[in-house]
Amino acid sequence: MAENLIGRLIPHQGCVITHLGNDGIQVAGSAMTWVMSAGVAPFVCRPPFVFRVVGKTDSTNLRMHFHRGELIFNWEVNVRALRVHDPATAEQHGLADRGFITTNEWHVIDWEIRLDGMRVVVDGEVRFEGSGDYSGIESAPSVGPCFGSSISVREFTITPLV
């Protein structure tokens, strides 16, 4: 089983990480609500792996990052749209009715990044699949809020894929 890294995340961009005991951690941004604060893994990863977050948002913007890629759930512009930014190219995809997660409830989000593609699974439901060349990427995954939201995280794991 992969190590839960929530106690080892490194705050970035004005991020404030508060430990909540058995409920994990809260990740909040700085006083500047437009800053994408994040809790960053303490090491870099290379695909193939699964980046798992068990988390919740109080309102909008639970965001996961890897290299040039980003997943945005409850996007502030349209909470129903899933925003997927490709880790290799930063190409943006907007998927209608694929990005909403209920607020103040825990969700299991798996971002599977393989050498030749990726998949996003939320609570067992595939929300996105795409192809790409991720074989040369090395970066530290991160999770965070944006635009004044606050997120809580119970699990942040990186599991290598075979």
Side-chain angles (χ1 to χ4, degrees):
M1 180 167 186
E3 175 189 3
N4 189 352
L5 299 169
I6 62 170
R8 298 179 52 204
L9 295 179
I10 300 165
H12 178 68
Q13 288 286 105
C15 176
V16 176
I17 298 175
T18 305
H19 294 272
L20 303 173
N22 291 337
D23 255 357
I25 60 172
Q26 180 183 54
V27 182
S30 68
M32 297 178 291
T33 59
W34 52 268
V35 172
M36 289 194 308
S37 299
V40 183
F43 51 77
V44 297
C45 301
R46 292 181 65 92
F49 64 87
V50 176
F51 173 18
R52 172 175 278 185
V53 166
V54 177
K56 62 183 176 178
T57 178
D58 66 346
S59 55
T60 60
N61 286 297
L62 188 152
R63 296 180 177 219
M64 295 168 65
H65 316 95
F66 178 67
H67 192 55
R68 297 174 70 191
E70 182 174 28
L71 302 179
I72 306 173
F73 297 93
N74 291 27
W75 183 39
E76 78 280 355
V77 175
N78 177 353
V79 296
R80 298 251 170 239
L82 174 61
R83 300 298 299 173
V84 178
H85 301 196
D86 187 274
T89 66
E91 179 183 354
Q92 298 182 22
H93 305 275
L95 293 99
D97 299 319
R98 306 301 290 161
F100 182 73
I101 55 175
T102 50
T103 57
N104 298 309
E105 292 184 20
W106 295 106
H107 297 277
V108 178
I109 304 168
D110 288 327
W111 191 1
E112 300 173 9
I113 303 174
R114 299 182 182 280
L115 297 177
D116 61 354
M118 67 173 166
R119 183 165 82 151
V120 178
V121 181
V122 179
D123 298 329
E125 174 192 3
V126 176
R127 302 264 185 113
F128 176 83
E129 283 190 271
S131 60
D133 179 7
Y134 308 120
S135 60
I137 298 174
E138 185 174 71
S139 188
S142 65
V143 65
C146 197
F147 290 101
S149 68
S150 169
I151 65 167
S152 298
V153 178
R154 276 200 311 219
E155 182 181 331
F156 180 114
T157 56
I158 306 298
T159 304
L161 292 171
V162 185

